[in-house]
Amino acid sequence: MGKTRLEAFSDGVIAIIITIMVLEMKVPHDATPAALAALLPVFLSYVLSFVYVGIYWNNHHHMLHTCTRVTGAVLWANLHLLFWLSLFPFATGWMGENHFAPWPSALYGFVLLAAAVAYYVLQQTIIAAQGEHSLLRQAVGGDWKGRASPLLYALGIGLTLVNPWLSVALYVLVALVWLVPDKRIERVLGHGA
Amino acid sequence: MGKTRLEAFSDGVIAIIITIMVLEMKVPHDATPAALAALLPVFLSYVLSFVYVGIYWNNHHHMLHTCTRVTGAVLWANLHLLFWLSLFPFATGWMGENHFAPWPSALYGFVLLAAAVAYYVLQQTIIAAQGEHSLLRQAVGGDWKGRASPLLYALGIGLTLVNPWLSVALYVLVALVWLVPDKRIERVLGHGA
Amino acid sequence: MGKTRLEAFSDGVIAIIITIMVLEMKVPHDATPAALAALLPVFLSYVLSFVYVGIYWNNHHHMLHTCTRVTGAVLWANLHLLFWLSLFPFATGWMGENHFAPWPSALYGFVLLAAAVAYYVLQQTIIAAQGEHSLLRQAVGGDWKGRASPLLYALGIGLTLVNPWLSVALYVLVALVWLVPDKRIERVLGHGA
Amino acid sequence: MGKTRLEAFSDGVIAIIITIMVLEMKVPHDATPAALAALLPVFLSYVLSFVYVGIYWNNHHHMLHTCTRVTGAVLWANLHLLFWLSLFPFATGWMGENHFAPWPSALYGFVLLAAAVAYYVLQQTIIAAQGEHSLLRQAVGGDWKGRASPLLYALGIGLTLVNPWLSVALYVLVALVWLVPDKRIERVLGHGA
């Protein structure tokens, strides 16, 4: 079984997730700037989630590039990742509509954390399927970003008890760190992208 | 006519089905854990349906892998399967919002049953299109899972008269049985996935 | 410019159209069979539209199979067809929610008519792009179905003045005629599908 | 990293955007022509946005055709364009529901402007990735449409202070100018499409 359909299906699901999030930004009835301004928190949480889903798509893209063998375990690890990504629209909408209140901000962090763990599990599953000389294993090497992110999300969840804005600031920070493209895989493969 | 577009279209429809189900989990207005807890039945039915649609995608993936010839009958048998899968979001939402009440749980079982029958019809249509030496025919051989599932779904529908939780338990059980990847096709094809 | 992306984009749009129609079937609040029965007209109009969109996808599939050259005109004729198909969910929902009342049934017929015209325009545009020895031109030859359908849709629109059930019966009849796969293209291409 | 997945993902997102816009056209409860007529502004803004998204898909299609090397920067410039396109359904719905009132018409113009800038940024990013002998650089040459459009959108935003209908007329005009397919790229590539 080739990886073409796995990629196509993942692309489809991620494309839908990134797009339906915008549906949480309900069209206001009034034609005033105030009506628009009231949507600002929803908009900002949409932007944050758009960036996160974009990062996942990007990294997923790179990771599957190194994947030469798709097993049943890889298929399910991939679906597991897509499951947590599918909760982004809900978590984003809840956080945005409630203006970054503590509980919704904690849930948002939890979904980020679960997606990060699912991504790690998928990575390990692909490495296991590839065997000893796994290109991906070499590529992820130190992988400090992959290891640090879950800790930072967990810290963000905890910080909602203090001030949820600190949590959100942390989520933004982690997104910015990931926005830098993953040079490791590019380096190992020895070409531009 | 190649099977590429058949796969791509099916992937698209299944990707949308698996993703719009999450829209039934409406963002609550309150930012409290209680508001979240109230969504638990909807969430659990979402998880169950996500797994089922994932199983269908997985098996569809394997089945079409063996399909070398796409006829008009295969196209329509495939659309027929997609039709029943498209009712998952509705059935899932009704069951979840009504906390696994008898009628919604029976309808959910009915949609599972209809999808299972449609899958069987698609399988037979592909086998018929392939002719005598059909790889798929050898692969599905005994096919006890394919035969037992409809009976179990029918039993689940009947059990809603006794206690719908028994039905749901049965649906979960069948999902777990299917989660084990279908080794038969992998074996006949003689490679990993 | 190859036709791969044209097919992929069309598949995507048609997959979404066929799937979001089901969202018009709102999950009822009551867990009773009566609540479900109240949705029957919406369900039946969904089934009819699912079949129609399936027919369009099928025929689009066949038609593009013969298309060797994609021009700007073909791209826009294709988008024009997708535009009218995108109105199916709206027309279906309006007709279903109003239990096949005259005006919604007339609008439904109008959307069917417009899509049929758009399909014809796309067919002619592809033939024009292919030049004199167009395979598609030979394939569609007599094309009595393509010519009769718009007339029957127009008749259906008129019949809503008498009895909208006659119109709906006519729409169902035309769908059944089209369900028979288009053997003409298969014959010209000289292989099974 | 090939451009196949970039194209597939973009096609998916654009297909979803163009299709979910139609969901803003809510099915009316009454089965009267008046109920339909009340939706006319929403319908017209849907048509305008459908054409705009179609133009973007078309031009994106042509532009990526010339792109031989996908870098991390190209991936993000592409996601940036998709982000602004994803705001079309919201801006379209707000403008349509408020019958082309000043503020919503200004926001619509702003989204058009932002998408045009994002498209330009993507174009420059691809040119930069291709290096000196970029085919795309030659193709876009004068690019008066690409340069004039943002100015006209900005003018349209300003005109909402005078009369939003002037703004909308301008948006329609720019769409018509773009509807003419981009012959430049076709010419440089030296074949039909």
Side-chain angles (χ1 to χ4, degrees), chain A residues 76-157:
Chain A
W76 279 104
N78 190 59
L79 274 167
H80 178 237
L81 172 61
L82 294 178
F83 174 77
W84 290 108
L85 293 181
S86 81
L87 296 181
F88 268 71
F90 177 85
T92 305
W94 202 37
M95 185 170 73
E97 278 191 26
N98 289 290
H99 298 198
F100 305 95
W103 279 98
S105 302
L107 180 78
Y108 190 83
F110 176 75
V111 172
L112 286 178
L113 175 58
V117 170
Y119 187 84
Y120 180 79
V121 168
L122 174 57
Q123 187 178 281
Q124 297 306 315
T125 310
I126 293 176
I127 289 176
Q130 287 177 325
E132 248 179 78
H133 304 293
S134 162
L135 259 183
L136 183 58
R137 188 205 296 271
Q138 296 167 46
V140 296
D143 193 19
W144 64 271
K145 282 201 280 191
R147 283 187 206 150
S149 300
L151 296 179
L152 292 170
Y153 298 141
L155 179 60
I157 297 171

Side-chain angles (χ1 to χ4, degrees), chain C residues 23-40:
Chain C
L23 294 180
E24 293 298 335
M25 210 159 68
K26 311 276 188 234
V27 172
H29 286 294
D30 296 333
T32 59
L36 207 60
L39 284 173
L40 193 66

Side-chain angles (χ1 to χ4, degrees), chain B residues 18-181:
Chain B
I18 214 169
T19 320
I20 65 175
M21 281 194 303
V22 86
L23 295 178
E24 293 299 334
M25 209 161 69
K26 312 276 188 234
V27 171
H29 287 293
D30 296 332
T32 59
L36 208 60
L39 284 173
L40 193 65
V42 179
F43 178 71
L44 291 178
S45 55
Y46 172 60
V47 174
L48 180 59
S49 293
F50 191 97
V51 171
Y52 263 115
V53 177
I55 289 167
Y56 271 105
W57 178 71
N58 246 333
N59 289 342
H60 188 265
H61 198 148
H62 277 81
M63 184 161 63
L64 281 186
H65 198 55
T66 67
C67 175
T68 49
R69 190 159 165 274
V70 176
T71 61
V74 170
L75 289 180
W76 279 105
N78 190 59
L79 274 167
H80 178 236
L81 171 61
L82 294 179
F83 173 77
W84 290 108
L85 293 181
S86 82
L87 296 181
F88 268 70
F90 177 85
T92 306
W94 202 37
M95 185 170 75
E97 279 192 26
N98 289 290
H99 298 199
F100 305 95
W103 280 98
S105 302
L107 180 78
Y108 191 83
F110 177 75
V111 172
L112 286 178
L113 174 59
V117 170
Y119 187 84
Y120 180 79
V121 169
L122 174 57
Q123 188 178 282
Q124 297 307 315
T125 311
I126 293 176
I127 289 175
Q130 288 178 326
E132 248 178 77
H133 304 292
S134 161
L135 259 183
L136 184 58
R137 187 205 296 271
Q138 297 167 45
V140 296
D143 193 19
W144 63 272
K145 281 201 280 190
R147 283 187 205 151
S149 300
L151 297 178
L152 292 170
Y153 298 141
L155 178 61
I157 296 172
L159 281 174
T160 57
L161 295 171
V162 185
N163 187 334
W165 290 102
L166 291 176
S167 317
V168 174
L170 202 58
Y171 305 153
V172 171
L173 189 78
V174 179
L176 292 176
V177 167
W178 277 104
L179 264 180
V180 182

Side-chain angles (χ1 to χ4, degrees), chain A:
Chain A
M1 179 171 306
K3 68 179 174 180
T4 314
R5 270 193 83 182
L6 182 66
E7 289 183 334
F9 184 71
S10 306
D11 281 354
V13 171
I14 296 174
I16 297 158
I17 290 168
I18 213 170
T19 320
I20 64 175
M21 282 194 303
V22 86
L23 295 179
E24 292 299 335
M25 208 160 68
K26 311 277 188 232
V27 171
H29 286 293
D30 295 332
T32 59
L36 207 60
L39 285 173
L40 195 64
V42 179
F43 178 71
L44 291 179
S45 55
Y46 172 60
V47 174
L48 181 58
S49 293
F50 191 97
V51 171
Y52 263 115
V53 177
I55 290 166
Y56 271 104
W57 178 70
N58 247 333
N59 289 342
H60 188 265
H61 198 147
H62 277 80
M63 183 160 63
L64 282 185
H65 198 54
T66 67
C67 175
T68 49
R69 190 159 164 274
V70 176
T71 61
V74 170
L75 289 180
W76 279 104
N78 190 59
L79 274 167
H80 178 237
L81 172 61
L82 294 178
F83 174 77
W84 290 108
L85 293 181
S86 81
L87 296 181
F88 268 71
F90 177 85
T92 305
W94 202 37
M95 185 170 73
E97 278 191 26
N98 289 290
H99 298 198
F100 305 95
W103 279 98
S105 302
L107 180 78
Y108 190 83
F110 176 75
V111 172
L112 286 178
L113 175 58
V117 170
Y119 187 84
Y120 180 79
V121 168
L122 174 57
Q123 187 178 281
Q124 297 306 315
T125 310
I126 293 176
I127 289 176
Q130 287 177 325
E132 248 179 78
H133 304 293
S134 162
L135 259 183
L136 183 58
R137 188 205 296 271
Q138 296 167 46
V140 296
D143 193 19
W144 64 271
K145 282 201 280 191
R147 283 187 206 150
S149 300
L151 296 179
L152 292 170
Y153 298 141
L155 179 60
I157 297 171
L159 281 174
T160 57
L161 295 171
V162 186
N163 186 334
W165 289 102
L166 291 176
S167 317
V168 174
L170 202 58
Y171 304 153
V172 171
L173 190 79
V174 179
L176 291 176
V177 167
W178 277 104
L179 264 180
V180 183
D182 200 322
K183 295 291 181 199
R184 296 168 304 177
I185 292 176
E186 295 183 16
R187 211 181 305 124
V188 170
L189 290 173
H191 61 79

